[in-house]
Amino acid sequence: MVKKVILIIIALMLLPIALFAQKPSAREREAWMKEMQQVKNEYIARKLDLSEEQKTKFLPLYNRMDEEMRQAAEQAMKMEREVRKKGKQATDLEYEKAAEAQFELKGKENIIEMKYFKDFKKMLSPCQLFKLKKAERDFSRELMKKHNEQKRENKKK
């Protein structure tokens, strides 16, 4: 099981390189995101030692939270891209609004997390709640590590 998850993670780390090289379609990106979500769900469920009942209750709610946070980040990134695209043609007000969106993002993410935390408390033990943030950080670190290893291997070739 652990080997399977590691192989999936490695495969998923290779997939973005191929997709970005080909300018992925919206459908390909969506499929990749769903697959990545599944791997993340499996990772978190394993790290938190979730029961089957907890998985069926927690993971859909967790995925909803994750999606809300992704949307908030995409809104901030969209404003940033628009200002970068305009370059020197961007107005001070546009720069200010894009900067404000970037600075507000952490606050928005915190509001979203606290909204869901109340529900998470109903389905996870205090120990599992405590482990959740570490599991998220560890998942991100593991992905970055795999990505960096892949980049080094590609440079050697």
Side-chain angles (χ1 to χ4, degrees):
M1 176 66 179
V2 173
K3 286 182 182 180
K4 180 181 178 185
V5 171
I6 291 172
L7 288 175
I8 290 172
I9 290 173
I10 291 171
L12 288 174
M13 290 308 300
L14 297 173
L15 187 60
I17 294 167
L19 291 178
F20 286 121
Q22 300 173 0
K23 291 271 188 175
S25 68
R27 185 179 302 146
E28 290 170 328
R29 186 177 189 289
E30 185 179 324
W32 181 82
M33 293 297 286
K34 282 185 179 185
E35 200 171 336
M36 185 58 74
Q37 181 108 45
Q38 183 179 351
V39 171
K40 185 177 181 183
N41 285 348
E42 290 170 6
Y43 184 89
I44 288 177
R46 191 175 76 250
K47 289 291 184 174
L48 299 183
D49 194 27
L50 296 178
S51 69
E52 287 303 316
E53 182 181 349
Q54 285 176 312
K55 284 181 196 178
T56 58
K57 290 180 181 178
F58 171 74
L59 291 175
L61 194 61
Y62 179 79
N63 292 338
R64 240 179 285 139
M65 179 191 76
D66 218 26
E67 180 59 28
E68 282 186 42
M69 292 178 60
R70 189 175 302 111
Q71 287 175 359
E74 284 177 9
Q75 288 173 350
M77 286 188 294
K78 180 181 177 193
M79 292 181 78
E80 180 182 343
R81 279 191 304 272
E82 288 172 2
V83 168
R84 286 188 195 280
K85 186 176 180 181
K86 288 184 177 185
K88 293 183 179 186
Q89 304 300 318
T91 66
D92 284 347
L93 181 61
E94 289 171 321
Y95 275 115
E96 182 180 337
K97 290 296 181 187
E100 188 176 331
Q102 291 171 335
F103 280 87
E104 287 179 342
L105 180 58
K106 291 279 186 201
K108 287 180 180 179
E109 289 173 338
N110 186 52
I111 290 168
I112 292 166
E113 284 185 322
M114 290 310 295
K115 176 177 83 172
Y116 283 90
F117 178 76
K118 293 172 186 173
D119 292 326
F120 293 165
K121 282 175 36 174
K122 296 173 186 173
M123 55 191 75
L124 299 178
S125 73
C127 183
Q128 288 170 320
L129 281 170
F130 179 77
K131 289 179 179 180
L132 177 58
K133 295 311 283 179
K134 182 175 183 335
E136 290 175 326
R137 285 190 308 271
D138 290 349
F139 179 77
S140 294
R141 283 186 188 125
E142 196 169 312
L143 284 180
M144 287 305 297
K145 181 180 171 186
K146 299 288 185 198
H147 176 71
N148 289 335
E149 288 172 1
Q150 185 62 42
K151 279 174 59 176
R152 281 193 296 276
E153 286 179 24
N154 286 341
K155 284 183 180 181
K156 288 179 184 178
K157 292 180 180 179

